[in-house]
């Protein structure tokens, strides 16, 4: 299955069960939202998960672009991405978690053709506030899918406070040998789909109180699902990354880990710019700036003459089409070139400043504050320059 077929199969399955298609939201959250970027499909639905009636009803489905910086340091492995597409379904006070799991199992088996022998599930085993998720456990046992009880790994929330609840994660075996172990003992079990029973609100003091209505929120990463159905060994082998991998390999031939990071960060930067963000030293703009600088840091390790100006247009236009976004490509390329120029200048000014500070010994918190406040050098850049000087 190609990505569009995966999307169509998912959306059609839920539409046949009374779900209406929810329009996609921007990556950029409203100014009163403490979270900068849409990090999951449920994020824009928070008021409705807390009880407000949704204008489209209580069964919804959509495809949503998401950005997560919490996994930034894991990007470079076969499965983690900064920006990705999430296939989601919701029950806003309608059907329950066990029903969602039964539908999920049948979609994987009959819609996507995943053999039951390649499936494994994990379920919340309980803690001091909430008991084990016996309903989900019973469903997987009834369906003949092996299941593992875990702790906080199977409790989902979008932050320290707000809607939350136990979840059941569905894993698919990606190894060449017959399945073995469990999701917590063998990383060849890859999570592809999470079904969350959003039943509680967590307060500042850690207390849990029931939501006005119990909800179900599911999320499936498109790029991971494509990897599973293709039998690939990395999400970077999928259609969404093909033009980037070819372009970056032809230009700079980095090692595999660096190749993945460069492709991910450049692709993510294109999406963030297309959603209206411009580089800055705060909030959304700093995330964009950090992504571009991480790319340049990798590229310049081996050759400081490398430049983003050499990037062909194809991967950029492909990404804009992939995420259903429109922006002037020439303007976007100019923005990347200007950000590269600024970073070169900052490095030129920063190296001797950091070297002088290091001459007095290892950097302290006061040193980091001084370098930032006086010279405009952010901590991650200082750490990189310090490591370079050792």
């Amino acid at each position: 299955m190609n990505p569009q077929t995966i999307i169509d199969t998912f959306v059609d399955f839920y539409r046949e069960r009374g779900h209406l298609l929810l329009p996609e939201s921007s990556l950029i959250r409203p100014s009163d939202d403490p979270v900068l970027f849409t990090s999951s499909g449920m994020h824009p639905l928070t008021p409705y998960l807390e009880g407000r009636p949704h204008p489209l009803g209580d069964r919804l489905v959509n495809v949503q672009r998401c950005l997560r910086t919490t996994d930034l340091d894991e990007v470079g492995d076969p499965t983690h991405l900064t920006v990705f597409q999430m296939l989601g379904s919701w029950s806003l006070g309608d059907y329950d978690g066990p029903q969602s799991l039964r539908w999920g199992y049948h979609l994987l088996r009959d819609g996507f053709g995943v053999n039951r022998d390649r499936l494994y599930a994990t379920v919340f085993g309980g803690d001091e506030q909430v008991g084990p998720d016996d309903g989900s456990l019973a469903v997987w046992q009834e369906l003949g899918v092996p299941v593992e009880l875990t702790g906080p790994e199977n409790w989902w929330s979008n932050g320290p406070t707000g809607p939350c609840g136990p979840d059941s994660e569905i894993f698919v075996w990606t190894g060449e040998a017959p399945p073995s172990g469990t999701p917590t003992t063998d990383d060849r079990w890859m999570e592809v789909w999470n079904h969350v029973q959003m039943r509680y609100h967590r307060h500042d003091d850690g207390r849990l109180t029931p939501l006005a209505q119990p909800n179900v929120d599911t999320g499936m990463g498109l790029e991971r699902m494509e990897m599973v159905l293709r039998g690939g060994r990395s999400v970077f082998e999928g259609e969404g990354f093909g033009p980037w991998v070819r372009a970056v390999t032809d230009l700079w031939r980095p090692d595999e880990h660096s190749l993945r990071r460069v492709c991910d960060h450049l692709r993510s930067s294109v999406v963030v710019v297309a959603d209206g963000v411009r580089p800055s030293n705060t909030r959304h703009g700093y995330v964009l700036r950090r992504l571009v600088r991480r790319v340049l840091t990798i590229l310049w390790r081996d050759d400081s003459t490398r430049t983003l100006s050499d990037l062909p247009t194809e991967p950029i236009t492909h990404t804009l089409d992939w995420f259903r976004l429109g922006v002037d490509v020439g303007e976007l390329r100019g923005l990347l070139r200007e950000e590269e120029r600024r970073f070169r200048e900052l490095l030129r000014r920063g190296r001797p400043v950091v070297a002088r500070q290091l001459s007095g010994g290892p950097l302290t918190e006061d040193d980091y504050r001084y370098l930032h406040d006086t010279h405009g050098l952010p901590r991650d850049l200082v750490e990189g320059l310090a490591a370079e000087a050792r």
Side-chain angles (χ1 to χ4, degrees):
M1 286 191 176
N2 63 36
Q4 190 57 53
T5 305
I6 294 171
I7 292 173
D8 293 342
T9 300
F10 186 94
V11 171
D12 290 347
F13 179 90
Y14 281 99
R15 276 179 153 171
E16 290 168 4
R17 287 154 182 80
H19 295 64
L20 295 185
L21 184 62
L22 183 70
E24 187 171 9
S25 299
S26 168
L27 273 182
I28 313 307
R29 305 304 308 141
S31 58
D32 60 349
D33 194 321
V35 179
L36 294 178
F37 294 98
T38 298
S39 59
S40 65
M42 63 76 61
H43 199 151
L45 291 172
T46 300
Y48 308 104
L49 293 166
E50 293 177 334
R52 182 191 301 176
H54 195 284
L56 292 179
D58 53 17
R59 294 188 179 192
L60 304 172
V61 62
N62 93 329
V63 183
Q64 174 64 49
R65 59 188 178 276
C66 300
L67 184 152
R68 291 183 184 171
T69 56
T70 52
D71 296 333
L72 204 56
D73 289 334
E74 295 185 70
V75 172
D77 71 10
T79 61
H80 283 89
L81 298 173
T82 306
V83 171
F84 57 93
Q85 297 199 69
M86 182 75 82
L87 308 176
S89 66
W90 293 272
S91 163
L92 303 177
D94 188 359
Y95 56 85
D96 60 14
Q99 177 64 72
S100 179
L101 293 177
R102 289 190 184 91
W103 280 346
Y105 169 74
H106 289 295
L107 175 54
L108 287 170
R109 187 192 66 181
D110 303 329
F112 292 126
V114 180
N115 191 295
R116 184 179 66 181
D117 294 340
R118 294 178 64 204
L119 296 177
Y120 215 118
T122 59
V123 169
F124 182 64
D127 62 15
E128 64 279 0
Q129 293 193 73
V130 179
D133 184 4
D134 293 329
S136 296
L137 180 63
V139 167
W140 293 123
Q141 291 172 337
E142 165 198 323
L143 295 172
V145 174
V147 59
E148 181 179 21
L149 289 173
T150 74
E153 303 95 325
N154 279 104
W155 184 271
W156 198 94
S157 63
N158 202 43
T161 62
C164 57
D167 66 54
S168 182
E169 298 174 350
I170 306 174
F171 294 76
V172 177
W173 179 254
T174 61
E176 296 180 2
S180 63
T182 71
T184 59
T185 64
D186 194 321
D187 59 12
R188 287 175 293 182
W189 288 106
M190 186 177 72
E191 180 198 346
V192 295
W193 203 358
N194 193 5
H195 290 239
V196 183
Q197 297 181 65
M198 205 76 70
R199 302 197 305 242
Y200 302 97
H201 181 95
R202 188 179 295 281
H203 299 270
D204 290 330
D205 60 4
R207 286 182 305 112
L208 295 175
T209 56
L211 290 173
Q213 64 189 25
N215 311 286
V216 179
D217 157 40
T218 86
M220 171 190 287
L222 174 62
E223 289 84 353
R224 286 193 180 189
M225 197 62 200
E226 181 193 10
M227 171 186 160
V228 164
L229 297 180
R230 285 178 178 270
R233 59 188 188 91
S234 163
V235 293
F236 294 91
E237 297 173 357
E239 286 189 18
F241 280 96
W244 286 109
V245 170
R246 289 192 293 272
V248 171
T249 300
D250 289 346
L251 282 172
W252 302 307
R253 303 198 177 279
D255 62 79
E256 187 171 39
H257 187 269
S258 297
L259 172 68
R260 291 169 179 170
R261 284 200 163 193
V262 169
C263 290
D264 169 88
H265 290 1
L266 286 173
R267 178 181 184 252
S268 299
S269 297
V270 168
V271 177
V272 173
V273 169
D275 247 327
V277 177
R278 296 298 178 265
S280 72
N281 287 329
T282 61
R283 294 174 59 79
H284 307 89
Y286 185 66
V287 173
L288 171 59
R289 176 158 283 170
R290 189 178 177 203
L291 288 170
V292 176
R293 288 178 175 179
R294 284 167 67 98
V295 168
L296 294 170
T297 299
I298 292 169
L299 296 181
W300 292 345
R301 273 197 314 240
D302 299 324
D303 184 350
S304 62
T305 67
R306 289 172 172 175
T307 173
L308 299 181
S309 299
D310 292 337
L311 273 174
T313 300
E314 182 197 2
I316 297 173
T317 56
H318 179 272
T319 294
L320 295 173
D321 291 341
W322 181 267
F323 284 95
R324 303 165 293 281
L325 292 165
V327 69
D328 183 272
V329 175
E331 178 187 349
L332 192 153
R333 291 174 64 91
L335 184 150
L336 292 177
R337 287 195 297 270
E338 175 60 16
E339 191 59 19
E340 178 182 317
R341 186 195 67 77
R342 286 175 176 270
F343 190 44
R344 282 190 188 276
E345 176 61 19
L346 188 61
L347 289 176
R348 186 190 66 77
R349 291 189 294 105
R351 281 193 178 95
V353 172
V354 172
R356 284 197 301 271
Q357 209 68 20
L358 281 169
S359 65
L363 297 179
T364 65
E365 290 301 319
D366 286 342
D367 291 327
Y368 284 115
R369 277 192 292 272
Y370 165 76
L371 291 167
H372 179 271
D373 297 344
T374 304
H375 297 280
L377 300 173
R379 186 184 185 110
D380 56 348
L381 176 59
V382 172
E383 289 174 343
L385 290 174
E388 184 181 290
R390 292 188 190 108

